[in-house]
Amino acid sequence: MTPLERDNIILEAALEWGADAMYDVRNGSLGSTLYIDCSCKEESTYIRHKVPAYFHGLYVVVTYPTHILTYDEAEKFDGAHYLDPELYNPS
């Protein structure tokens, strides 16, 4: 697959299922796979019901962070606490 074909598949998927999720094409256990990373379980459930198992010959995997279940929780979670330097203190 050429980079242009890859970009076109990602663009088509984003237009069809929404641009809120992150899309990527990577090699998976079943060959080339379209990964859709959602912001929460609620969004991933919605997208999983819309997408087919295979899209343009690519197996489709929908993922989400397991500790964020709803859109409300996703809005509250900004990820900034992971940038806290106190979390990694080797001394």
Side-chain angles (χ1 to χ4, degrees):
M1 173 182 302
T2 67
L4 181 61
E5 290 172 332
R6 177 187 173 278
D7 291 345
N8 285 338
I9 289 173
I10 290 172
L11 178 62
E12 185 178 339
L15 290 173
E16 190 164 335
W17 301 310
D20 291 336
M22 298 294 294
Y23 300 86
D24 192 19
V25 176
R26 298 182 296 220
N27 286 328
S29 58
L30 295 173
S32 293
T33 304
L34 174 64
Y35 286 91
I36 305 173
D37 297 320
C38 300
S39 61
C40 62
K41 184 177 195 281
E42 188 177 1
E43 179 183 21
S44 70
T45 302
Y46 174 74
I47 288 179
R48 182 74 260 176
H49 284 93
K50 291 174 63 174
V51 301
Y54 287 90
F55 182 69
H56 289 287
L58 302 174
Y59 184 67
V60 177
V61 173
V62 180
T63 63
Y64 64 93
T66 57
H67 61 284
I68 303 175
L69 302 178
T70 65
Y71 286 110
D72 292 335
E73 289 178 10
E75 289 175 4
K76 293 176 189 174
F77 180 78
D78 62 0
H81 70 280
Y82 288 121
L83 302 175
D84 185 4
E86 293 299 317
L87 290 175
Y88 178 75
N89 190 354
S91 55

